[in-house]
Amino acid sequence: MRVDVVTVFPDYLAALDLSLIGKARQAGLLDLRVHDLRDWTTDRHRTVDDTPFGGGAGMVMRPDVWGTALDDVLGDDGHLVVPTPSGEVFTQRHAEALATEEHLVFACGRYEGIDARVAEHYRASGRRVSELSIGDYVLNGGEVATLVMVEAVGRLLPGVVGNPESLVEESHGAAGLLEYPVYTKPPVWAEHEIPEVLLSGHHAKIARWRRDRALERTATRRPDLIAALDVAALDKHDLAT
Ligand SMILES: O[C@H]1NC=Nc2ccccc21
């Protein structure tokens, strides 16, 4: 998969050189390129934004600069992803869908946003355009959201995560449940013991205990996920463990 990121803060994306995503890049599983939007400006001050039509606070990013940048970077197969607080909320389902794409281009705008004609223009020219929010809180720009989405998508690519099995058991995974509590050595820590069943070696009981804890946690912390639960998948998942 090829991923391009266009931003006025390229250094923000340095975190993608580290850890799993960094290794995926070195292994050639992920071809990630970060571009400075200002490279497509033509004026001496390398201006990328201007005051909003209709008035209001803050600045809006110019469509002409973004247009020349995206015409270069999108190529003929790029799926344009625009992180924005006014987008659909990004979920694991979006990560799974985006992970099947050949080429993603992330356009990082400031919180006030990119001129609305940019997303419209590429949608009208038949491109896939996804405007996605990472949650209902205020950030200053799209870079942090892009880090989140590139990590969520990148780790789903074949070969990136050592044990693909671990992708199934996680929160928001196939079963649609939050992850059960996990424990490791020492068996007693600060007078806290671990649940007996986990020492029993009885795999069916352990699977059932984990499934029950995951259900409990989900019902307590995210009742909204219970409504969407696919019980059939849950049992299939359970049987698989
Ligand atoms: O305000 C943030 N909330 C969620 N997602 C975002 C994406 C880009 C810019 C800003 C945000």
Side-chain angles (χ1 to χ4, degrees), residues 1 17 33 43-44 56 76 79-80 121 156 158 160-161 168 174 177 188 191 196-197 217:
M1 172 187 282
D17 296 335
R33 311 171 196 197
D43 65 311
R44 197 156 52 87
D76 51 19
H79 179 143
L80 177 59
H121 170 74
L156 296 179
V160 174
V161 168
V168 178
L177 289 174
V188 182
E191 297 179 29
E196 274 300 309
V197 66
R217 251 185 184 182

Side-chain angles (χ1 to χ4, degrees), residues 83-85 109 111 132-135 137-139 141-142 145:
T84 168
Y111 182 61
L132 299 173
S133 162
I134 60 166
Y137 35 80
V138 182
L139 302 173

Side-chain angles (χ1 to χ4, degrees), residues 151-231:
E151 174 153 328
V153 172
R155 60 195 300 282
L156 296 179
L157 299 178
V160 174
V161 168
N163 170 10
E165 176 52 30
S166 65
L167 292 177
V168 178
E169 300 240 323
E170 289 173 331
S171 292
H172 308 291
L177 289 174
L178 298 186
E179 201 170 57
Y180 47 79
V182 289
Y183 305 86
T184 186
K185 304 180 195 61
V188 182
W189 168 74
E191 297 179 29
H192 301 286
E193 299 180 2
I194 62 165
E196 274 300 309
V197 66
L198 298 181
L199 298 174
S200 69
H202 195 299
H203 297 298
K205 280 189 182 165
I206 291 170
R208 175 64 61 186
W209 180 89
R210 286 175 166 173
R211 211 283 297 272
D212 293 351
R213 294 299 74 69
L215 269 171
E216 209 172 62
R217 251 185 184 182
T218 309
T220 315
R221 297 178 183 179
R222 292 294 305 277
D224 58 300
L225 294 180
I226 292 288
L229 200 56
D230 171 358
V231 180

Side-chain angles (χ1 to χ4, degrees), residues 7-235:
T7 167
V8 290
F9 297 117
D11 295 350
Y12 230 113
L13 284 299
L16 295 176
D17 296 335
L18 307 171
S19 181
L20 264 180
I21 300 300
K23 290 197 184 75
R25 295 174 73 182
Q26 284 152 19
L29 298 169
L30 177 64
D31 171 9
L32 186 108
R33 311 171 196 197
V34 180
H35 311 270
D36 186 340
L37 177 66
R38 294 189 196 280
D39 291 349
W40 283 277
T41 56
T42 51
D43 65 311
R44 197 156 52 87
H45 298 293
R46 309 186 80 202
T47 314
V48 293
D49 54 9
D50 207 329
T51 52
F53 277 123
M59 302 288 271
V60 174
M61 299 191 101
R62 293 170 46 161
D64 52 348
V65 178
W66 271 109
T68 46
L70 292 176
D71 284 351
D72 277 357
V73 173
L74 275 167
D76 51 19
D77 66 346
H79 179 143
L80 177 59
V81 180
V82 185
T84 168
S86 57
E88 219 177 290
V89 176
F90 177 75
T91 66
Q92 191 64 17
R93 303 303 70 88
H94 291 93
E96 288 159 357
L98 291 177
T100 65
E101 299 274 356
E102 283 304 309
H103 183 195
L104 301 177
V105 175
F106 288 84
C108 299
R110 295 158 57 112
Y111 182 61
E112 294 78 0
I114 300 174
D115 184 297
R117 289 169 290 180
V118 174
E120 271 165 47
H121 170 74
Y122 290 104
R123 221 175 250 124
S125 51
R127 281 206 181 269
R128 277 155 309 183
V129 179
S130 300
E131 295 183 75
L132 299 173
S133 162
I134 60 166
D136 296 333
Y137 35 80
V138 182
L139 302 173
N140 290 323
E143 286 75 13
V144 167
T146 297
L147 285 171
V148 165
M149 291 190 261
V150 170
E151 174 153 328
V153 172
R155 60 195 300 282
L156 296 179
L157 299 178
V160 174
V161 168
N163 170 10
E165 176 52 30
S166 65
L167 292 177
V168 178
E169 300 240 323
E170 289 173 331
S171 292
H172 308 291
L177 289 174
L178 298 186
E179 201 170 57
Y180 47 79
V182 289
Y183 305 86
T184 186
K185 304 180 195 61
V188 182
W189 168 74
E191 297 179 29
H192 301 286
E193 299 180 2
I194 62 165
E196 274 300 309
V197 66
L198 298 181
L199 298 174
S200 69
H202 195 299
H203 297 298
K205 280 189 182 165
I206 291 170
R208 175 64 61 186
W209 180 89
R210 286 175 166 173
R211 211 283 297 272
D212 293 351
R213 294 299 74 69
L215 269 171
E216 209 172 62
R217 251 185 184 182
T218 309
T220 315
R221 297 178 183 179
R222 292 294 305 277
D224 58 300
L225 294 180
I226 292 288
L229 200 56
D230 171 358
V231 180
L234 180 63
D235 288 341

